[in-house]
Amino acid sequence: MERHRKRTLRDLNSRAWAGEKDLFAVSTALDSSMKKNTAFIKRLRTAINPTGLTTFFQDIKTLSLHKYLSEIVSACFEGLCKLKNPADIATGVEIVSALHQRFGPEEFTGYLGWFMGRGLSTPEKAQLKALPQDVREREEKERISRQRVLLRVATELWLVGVLKSLEDVTMPEEASKSRDTKTTEQSSKAKLNGVRHDTTDPEPFPLEVLKDMLSHDREHVNLPLVVLFVKSFAWDVLGSRATKSEGRKTVSEEGTIAQANGLADSAPATDDEDASTGDLPITSPELQQRFRNILQRYFDDVRAHLVRDQKQLTTQARRNAEAYVKSGEVFEDRQANFERQSKAQEKLLGNAQILADVLGAEMPNLSEEETTVSGIDGTIGLVKTGDYLRGQNEGAGIWEDEDERRFYENLVDLKDRVPGILLEDTRKKKTEDDEQVGKRVEDKPASEAGQAILLTLSEGSKAIQGEDQSIAIANKTVGAQVDTLLARLPELSTKDQVDQFAIDFCFLNSKASRNRLIKAMQEVPKGRTDLLPLYSRLVATLGRYLVDIAQGLVTYLDDEFRSLQRRKTKDFLGQVRTINIRYIAEMTKFGVVPEHVIFHCLKVSLDDFSRMNIEIISHLLENCGRYLLRNPDTLPRMISFMETLQRKKGAQHLGQQERMLIENAMYYVNPPERAAIQQKERTPLDLFLRKLVYLDLSKRTVAKITKQVRKVHWEEPE
């Protein structure tokens, strides 16, 4: 609605409140037919839109309507609740203004104000608490959706002077008759008909509504309504030039901020245009300050809510990360609860930002150092480890020497040695080829296909038999080659042999071959722990492109570890436990084992601090403990584990052998820092004499060395 039209209506409606008559011209002969009057009421209830505005004006001018005023009031309220866009709201304001100017506040406006106030009242807390959770959420969602329109309409009606305050509303007779049976209407009546005796200046209608909404809203469920209010009436009511954001945004029923051209985005544009043209706000500065005070207090509460929820989210994220490290997963209900809280925090933050922009207030500082949860995003990085080692010039480093670093980091890239098609899953390619062949056959006409079948029927059986035989021979050949290749596994001794084995296997790659390789690497020969680093290098090399090999072996080792933990009393499984834990440790150093698996092994062993688990911890620390401690991704968790292990060792009574195992492993992983030996500074003469005595002196050179020593100036104090 244009600004000058608002001011014109405000002047006319104020004169109607003053008791002036004949503000809206009516015909001398009014039509009192029931058909036309009821049709007007029906359109008022369902068809308020810009195209019908002229018809409404004509009906208000020519129809009697006096006998149907109670129905007109209720129909008008229902029609206003169904408005959806700014044009419809402007039409509703014009129609209500016309009815107000014709019938006055005593017959029409007072009753309509009562309906508007009841629609904008908040339900009693006791009544909401009595409802189940899902019903309560649904009721609140419907109320927010309904009051979004009503708050906008009520404020527009107040700006044009139709509504004044809650003291000027009148309760209809129908509502008063049923007040004993409707608890909600009782509370609304008490709120809306309570007369204020403490001041001569009554609160404006929208200000009283906002006070009622926001005074007890500790959960800030009404924040979307406040955002809609400040976006729509930033200039007219608050006198604020809201800062422009990147794009038009609207607040949905759930409270999300979305790009749209809906109900909430056209009014702010109008306000900005009015501010740019220099037109003054409709409300006085005193009223603007009263609205601002209410909204500022509410925003302070929202700001505290934001900070509180952000702390809870951070705590929950840290707990989820810890649970992921301990058990390898986060429970679905906990993850769903965290995601729900995150979405609610995003909605709250977006709405609070809009409110802060309009009020010119500062948003709370929610920025904090993000804690990286390494266990959530997969495995330990190989390149990061190498870069870290090469950049670290002090200390022992992750690896013992350069040869060991090359063994664990310099893996051959199969894509440079093997055709790329051999690194793909052959089943997928075969399925695609079969589909293409099938399509070609289907594209042929039926007659041609029939002729081809008849012509080749006699030759088909022979060809099929020949193909089956050749396929069987080829399969036997591939199977024999795989058997020969797998027989070389126990003979591997160097990294070059491992790399060549990986290249040879790629030429025999298939699903069956990969399954046989996994099975062969699961069965390590008895006493051959020297094969574990070589097998791990093979898995790391193939696992870059054939992911199921690494996943299958890691899953097998993890399941075997859990199974061995359940059979703690079986002492004869000691060697199996040693191979299992060393296998896991070696694959960890290649980055194949995810962090949560290795830390789960450490945690389980630490929880049950028995002799068997102490040996497992010592094996893990000696084989991959330095890697975990020197790797930046696993450093924080490893430090925490070492501290816990140190405390547990001191708190429990352990035997000498168990204590020695733990201390040796911890000393190997993190040796104590020792000050470097200070080399004594010696003069050239001292160095010369030491050389003569310690290096040159022998039975043959005694006489010569004696002469040289005697030549030194022994009379000097030095």
Short mmCIF file of all heavy atoms in Angstrom, two decimals, residues 185-205:
data_model
loop_
_atom_site.label_atom_id
_atom_site.label_comp_id
_atom_site.label_asym_id
_atom_site.label_seq_id
_atom_site.Cartn_x
_atom_site.Cartn_y
_atom_site.Cartn_z
N GLU A 185 -10.68 -19.08 25.68
CA GLU A 185 -11.36 -17.81 25.53
C GLU A 185 -11.44 -17.07 26.86
O GLU A 185 -11.47 -15.85 26.89
CB GLU A 185 -12.76 -18.04 24.95
CG GLU A 185 -12.72 -18.58 23.53
CD GLU A 185 -14.11 -18.68 22.94
OE1 GLU A 185 -15.05 -18.23 23.62
OE2 GLU A 185 -14.25 -19.20 21.83
N GLN A 186 -11.46 -17.83 27.97
CA GLN A 186 -11.43 -17.16 29.27
C GLN A 186 -10.13 -16.38 29.43
O GLN A 186 -10.13 -15.21 29.83
CB GLN A 186 -11.52 -18.21 30.39
CG GLN A 186 -12.95 -18.70 30.64
CD GLN A 186 -12.97 -19.67 31.80
OE1 GLN A 186 -11.91 -20.06 32.28
NE2 GLN A 186 -14.14 -20.02 32.24
N SER A 187 -9.00 -17.05 29.12
CA SER A 187 -7.72 -16.36 29.27
C SER A 187 -7.63 -15.19 28.32
O SER A 187 -7.10 -14.13 28.66
CB SER A 187 -6.58 -17.34 29.02
OG SER A 187 -6.67 -17.85 27.71
N SER A 188 -8.16 -15.34 27.11
CA SER A 188 -8.12 -14.25 26.15
C SER A 188 -8.97 -13.08 26.62
O SER A 188 -8.59 -11.92 26.50
CB SER A 188 -8.62 -14.73 24.79
OG SER A 188 -7.83 -15.80 24.34
N LYS A 189 -10.14 -13.40 27.18
CA LYS A 189 -11.00 -12.33 27.67
C LYS A 189 -10.32 -11.57 28.80
O LYS A 189 -10.38 -10.34 28.87
CB LYS A 189 -12.31 -12.95 28.17
CG LYS A 189 -13.26 -11.97 28.87
CD LYS A 189 -14.52 -12.69 29.29
CE LYS A 189 -15.43 -11.76 30.08
NZ LYS A 189 -14.90 -11.34 31.34
N ALA A 190 -9.67 -12.32 29.70
CA ALA A 190 -8.99 -11.65 30.81
C ALA A 190 -7.88 -10.74 30.30
O ALA A 190 -7.65 -9.66 30.83
CB ALA A 190 -8.43 -12.69 31.77
N LYS A 191 -7.20 -11.20 29.27
CA LYS A 191 -6.11 -10.39 28.75
C LYS A 191 -6.63 -9.18 27.98
O LYS A 191 -6.06 -8.10 28.06
CB LYS A 191 -5.22 -11.24 27.81
CG LYS A 191 -4.41 -12.29 28.53
CD LYS A 191 -3.64 -13.10 27.52
CE LYS A 191 -2.84 -14.20 28.20
NZ LYS A 191 -2.13 -15.03 27.25
N LEU A 192 -7.69 -9.40 27.19
CA LEU A 192 -8.11 -8.38 26.24
C LEU A 192 -9.07 -7.36 26.83
O LEU A 192 -9.17 -6.24 26.33
CB LEU A 192 -8.76 -9.05 25.02
CG LEU A 192 -7.86 -10.03 24.28
CD1 LEU A 192 -8.61 -10.65 23.12
CD2 LEU A 192 -6.61 -9.36 23.81
N ASN A 193 -9.79 -7.72 27.87
CA ASN A 193 -10.76 -6.80 28.44
C ASN A 193 -10.31 -6.20 29.76
O ASN A 193 -11.07 -5.48 30.41
CB ASN A 193 -12.10 -7.51 28.65
CG ASN A 193 -12.79 -7.79 27.32
OD1 ASN A 193 -12.48 -7.14 26.31
ND2 ASN A 193 -13.71 -8.74 27.30
N GLY A 194 -9.09 -6.54 30.20
CA GLY A 194 -8.58 -5.94 31.43
C GLY A 194 -8.33 -4.45 31.23
O GLY A 194 -7.58 -4.05 30.35
N VAL A 195 -8.93 -3.61 32.04
CA VAL A 195 -8.80 -2.16 31.88
C VAL A 195 -7.60 -1.68 32.67
O VAL A 195 -7.39 -2.07 33.81
CB VAL A 195 -10.08 -1.45 32.37
CG1 VAL A 195 -9.95 0.04 32.21
CG2 VAL A 195 -11.29 -1.97 31.61
N ARG A 196 -6.77 -0.88 32.06
CA ARG A 196 -5.58 -0.33 32.71
C ARG A 196 -5.96 0.96 33.42
O ARG A 196 -6.51 1.87 32.83
CB ARG A 196 -4.49 -0.04 31.66
CG ARG A 196 -3.96 -1.27 30.98
CD ARG A 196 -3.20 -0.87 29.73
NE ARG A 196 -2.21 0.14 30.04
CZ ARG A 196 -0.94 -0.10 30.27
NH1 ARG A 196 -0.51 -1.34 30.25
NH2 ARG A 196 -0.07 0.86 30.50
N HIS A 197 -5.66 1.01 34.72
CA HIS A 197 -5.97 2.20 35.52
C HIS A 197 -4.72 2.96 35.91
O HIS A 197 -4.81 4.00 36.52
CB HIS A 197 -6.72 1.78 36.80
CG HIS A 197 -8.01 1.07 36.49
ND1 HIS A 197 -9.13 1.71 36.00
CD2 HIS A 197 -8.33 -0.25 36.60
CE1 HIS A 197 -10.11 0.82 35.83
NE2 HIS A 197 -9.65 -0.37 36.19
N ASP A 198 -3.52 2.39 35.55
CA ASP A 198 -2.30 3.00 36.06
C ASP A 198 -1.77 4.10 35.16
O ASP A 198 -0.84 4.79 35.51
CB ASP A 198 -1.21 1.93 36.24
CG ASP A 198 -0.96 1.17 34.95
OD1 ASP A 198 -1.84 1.24 34.07
OD2 ASP A 198 0.09 0.51 34.85
N THR A 199 -2.34 4.28 33.97
CA THR A 199 -1.84 5.31 33.07
C THR A 199 -2.96 5.80 32.18
O THR A 199 -3.92 5.09 31.90
CB THR A 199 -0.69 4.77 32.22
OG1 THR A 199 -0.25 5.82 31.35
CG2 THR A 199 -1.11 3.58 31.39
N THR A 200 -2.83 7.01 31.73
CA THR A 200 -3.82 7.58 30.82
C THR A 200 -3.45 7.33 29.36
O THR A 200 -4.26 7.61 28.48
CB THR A 200 -3.91 9.10 31.05
OG1 THR A 200 -2.63 9.68 30.83
CG2 THR A 200 -4.39 9.40 32.45
N ASP A 201 -2.27 6.82 29.12
CA ASP A 201 -1.82 6.56 27.75
C ASP A 201 -1.80 5.06 27.53
O ASP A 201 -0.85 4.38 27.93
CB ASP A 201 -0.42 7.16 27.56
CG ASP A 201 0.03 7.03 26.12
OD1 ASP A 201 -0.84 6.74 25.26
OD2 ASP A 201 1.23 7.21 25.84
N PRO A 202 -2.83 4.49 26.91
CA PRO A 202 -2.87 3.03 26.74
C PRO A 202 -1.80 2.57 25.74
O PRO A 202 -1.37 3.31 24.87
CB PRO A 202 -4.28 2.78 26.20
CG PRO A 202 -4.67 4.06 25.54
CD PRO A 202 -4.01 5.15 26.34
N GLU A 203 -1.42 1.31 25.92
CA GLU A 203 -0.41 0.74 25.02
C GLU A 203 -1.02 0.54 23.64
O GLU A 203 -2.18 0.11 23.51
CB GLU A 203 0.07 -0.62 25.56
CG GLU A 203 0.75 -0.55 26.91
CD GLU A 203 2.18 -0.04 26.79
OE1 GLU A 203 2.58 0.36 25.68
OE2 GLU A 203 2.89 -0.02 27.81
N PRO A 204 -0.26 0.80 22.55
CA PRO A 204 -0.75 0.50 21.21
C PRO A 204 -1.03 -0.99 21.05
O PRO A 204 -0.42 -1.84 21.72
CB PRO A 204 0.40 0.95 20.30
CG PRO A 204 1.17 1.92 21.12
CD PRO A 204 1.05 1.48 22.54
N PHE A 205 -1.96 -1.31 20.15
CA PHE A 205 -2.39 -2.69 19.97
C PHE A 205 -1.23 -3.64 19.69
O PHE A 205 -1.06 -4.65 20.38
CB PHE A 205 -3.43 -2.75 18.84
CG PHE A 205 -4.16 -4.05 18.75
CD1 PHE A 205 -5.40 -4.22 19.36
CD2 PHE A 205 -3.63 -5.13 18.06
CE1 PHE A 205 -6.07 -5.43 19.27
CE2 PHE A 205 -4.29 -6.34 17.99
CZ PHE A 205 -5.52 -6.48 18.59
#
